[in-house]
Amino acid sequence: MTRPYSSRSDGLFGPMFGTPAAAERTSAGAWLQAMLDFESALAAAQAAAGVVPRAAAEEIARCCRAELFDVDSIAERAVSSATPVIALVRDLTALLGEDAKPHVHRGATSQDVIDTAAMLVARDVLDLIIDDLRAAADECARLAEQHRGTVMIARSLLQQALPTTFGNRCATWLISLDEAVAALERIRGRLAVQFGGAAGTLAALGADGVRVLELLAAELGLAEPVAPWHTDRTRVAELAGALGTAAGAVGKIALDVELHAQTEVGELAEGAAGGSSAMPHKQNPVSAVLVTAASKRVPGLVATLLAAMPQEHERAAGSWQSEWDPLTDLLRLVAAAAAQTRRLLAGLRVHPERMAANLDLTRGLVMAESAAGRLMDSLGRTEAQDLVGRLCRRAVQEGTTLRAELLADQRVREVLSEDEIVAATEPADYLGSAPAFVDRALTAHAELEKR
């Protein structure tokens, strides 16, 4: 049997862990174009500084187009030098006239090209991630406002705890996404050009080095570092950390949705659930599953980039080279997770009736803290808690409710009226500051949108 062949570079599983836009912006072609953008901008900056002829810079710029190069050939030749830049510069030089050839890559080194390309690739993908996370945050804000008063049970250690609202849950999601966006925006502004030459001194450019650095940063729209950062990998680490934090934020949302979407819980459902190859009845939370899968892969990539931070002298012997693939994968995975989270939240179906039913599963035992609190002023903490504890056990043994046991207990009735007992066992009356927290989260989100 003849099997159809696909030339997709992302393989069989790639589409599940990426988006078309992220795949394009992290592709070999995107990296190649980013490296060529460095070479073009370098020539333009040096022309502006009077280091190279303007005509040569213009010719170099015309040839810095990825479609003019064989990326597979460059990749194969990179093995012999542990960098694709040498092959790239040779191929670029071969495209130029004799007058322009001497001015290619002037004063630069391979690390300048790749580090700056990494910043350009990261910037392009961060734009996607930030846009999707902002949209996901807007969906959280919508859900928080819509369900500000939708009472549900909060859970700790996977067990029922106290009443809360679904709006309050969404508010916590909202805050985490807003903070993740803020961190990514901060590091986006920190993405800097790398230009230090062979040993970080720009010796080949003499007194013109700093001026060319300033012009190069402006040309590329990247931050201008105080000095070359060949072996100062702080920016890469900050980028990895911010991406890891964003993955954790969306991973938390996905996990919550998975737990709430369990058949026995049924409080949430995805708008477009997935099926099963064996069980036609299944309605799987596939978007949440994909976000979870992507976010599980992220910490290892972050760890690799952090482990690569200590680098030898002015050029690392392996640690620097170890960054390239993990950074590419990290950008692609977080972009996919952000996009899936946006889709998940936009179509999320909320079932308040199941939330109410689950809230009643313990027949009011979750209101024990509330009841004990009402009794403490008269009975003291220890006696109040012991009394309510005994009544909870009785309710379980007899199959009654905590409210019924409180109403039937003489010691309780000496302290609390019937109305007070009813109020003490009403979940909607024991939400504390949950509504206020929702309002605070929405206000903070609205302030961010104004900036």
Side-chain angles (χ1 to χ4, degrees):
M1 177 180 177
T2 302
R3 293 179 174 86
Y5 172 76
S6 171
S7 61
R8 290 182 64 103
S9 61
D10 48 6
L12 179 63
F13 307 113
M16 291 187 289
F17 298 104
T19 67
E24 180 182 352
R25 297 187 191 198
T26 56
S27 67
W31 271 94
L32 177 62
Q33 186 58 61
M35 290 190 283
L36 289 167
D37 288 344
F38 171 87
E39 297 291 355
S40 175
L42 176 61
Q46 291 177 336
V51 175
V52 304
R54 188 166 297 278
E58 292 172 351
E59 185 176 351
I60 291 170
R62 285 194 296 272
C63 292
C64 284
R65 304 198 319 273
E67 62 267 23
L68 300 178
F69 296 81
D70 184 341
V71 68
D72 292 333
S73 171
I74 291 172
E76 290 169 2
R77 286 179 285 158
V79 176
S80 64
S81 57
T83 172
V85 177
I86 294 174
L88 174 65
V89 171
R90 286 178 178 170
D91 291 354
L92 175 57
T93 303
L95 294 175
L96 301 172
E98 293 302 318
D99 290 342
K101 288 181 187 292
H103 304 296
V104 174
H105 196 66
R106 186 162 180 174
T109 191
S110 294
Q111 187 163 4
D112 294 337
V113 181
I114 295 182
D115 276 352
T116 301
M119 299 294 100
L120 294 172
V121 169
R123 182 178 66 185
D124 285 349
V125 182
L126 283 181
D127 288 343
L128 298 174
I129 295 171
I130 290 171
D131 181 66
D132 281 330
L133 291 179
R134 280 176 174 163
D138 287 342
E139 295 295 343
C140 285
R142 173 184 62 80
L143 289 165
E145 186 169 15
Q146 182 179 347
H147 294 282
R148 183 178 182 276
T150 301
V151 183
M152 60 176 282
I153 189 67
R155 297 169 173 92
S156 61
L157 302 183
L158 297 178
Q159 305 300 304
Q160 291 204 352
L162 294 174
T164 183
T165 67
F166 183 59
N168 193 39
R169 172 69 63 80
C170 295
T172 63
W173 294 348
L174 172 61
I175 294 166
S176 67
L177 291 179
D178 280 344
E179 291 181 349
V181 167
L184 291 170
E185 288 178 329
R186 176 185 176 278
I187 190 57
R188 190 186 186 284
R190 289 259 298 149
L191 299 178
V193 67
Q194 163 56 34
F195 187 49
T201 64
L202 291 176
L205 296 179
D208 294 313
V210 172
R211 179 58 179 154
V212 172
L213 171 64
E214 295 170 349
L215 292 167
L216 178 58
E219 190 76 24
L220 291 170
L222 292 172
E224 178 192 327
V226 175
W229 47 278
H230 279 70
T231 49
D232 171 13
R233 311 311 288 175
T234 305
R235 284 180 172 82
V236 177
E238 288 178 357
L239 174 60
L243 289 167
T245 299
V250 297
K252 156 65 174 170
I253 295 172
L255 179 57
D256 279 347
V257 171
E258 289 165 351
L259 292 172
H260 285 289
Q262 293 178 96
T263 305
E264 295 83 356
V265 180
E267 295 172 349
L268 297 175
E270 290 192 9
S276 163
S277 64
M279 295 169 283
H281 69 282
K282 291 290 290 296
Q283 295 291 305
N284 295 322
V286 291
S287 287
V289 166
L290 290 175
V291 173
T292 295
S295 64
K296 295 285 188 184
R297 295 171 59 184
V298 164
L301 299 170
V302 174
T304 298
L305 292 171
L306 294 179
M309 284 188 73
Q311 300 194 1
E312 301 86 354
H313 302 302
E314 275 66 54
R315 184 85 73 253
S319 292
W320 169 53
Q321 292 84 350
S322 75
E323 294 175 346
W324 309 335
D325 266 348
L327 178 58
T328 302
D329 290 343
L330 182 57
L331 288 165
R332 185 167 53 243
L333 283 169
V334 177
Q340 284 286 2
T341 302
R342 176 181 186 172
R343 185 177 303 113
L344 164 64
L345 291 169
L348 190 65
R349 289 181 288 154
V350 182
H351 300 303
E353 73 285 353
R354 288 300 299 268
M355 293 177 177
N358 290 333
L359 189 61
D360 289 337
L361 282 178
T362 65
R363 298 191 299 275
L365 296 186
V366 294
M367 300 304 296
E369 181 187 72
S370 172
R374 297 284 186 120
L375 293 168
M376 280 181 189
D377 287 345
S378 298
L379 305 182
R381 172 180 293 275
T382 301
E383 184 178 350
Q385 290 185 333
D386 288 346
L387 174 57
V388 173
R390 288 196 301 272
L391 295 178
C392 286
R393 289 189 291 273
R394 185 186 300 167
V396 172
Q397 292 168 356
E398 302 296 331
T400 59
T401 66
L402 176 59
R403 178 181 292 176
E405 294 299 329
L406 289 166
L407 288 169
D409 187 85
Q410 182 178 355
R411 187 75 178 97
V412 173
R413 294 307 302 271
E414 291 173 356
V415 177
L416 299 178
S417 67
E418 181 176 344
D419 288 344
E420 288 173 326
I421 291 172
V422 170
T425 53
E426 175 53 54
D429 292 340
Y430 199 63
L431 297 174
S433 297
F437 289 144
V438 172
D439 294 341
R440 284 162 62 90
L442 291 173
T443 298
H445 180 68
E447 289 298 321
L448 288 175
E449 291 187 318
K450 294 177 183 177
R451 298 178 188 175

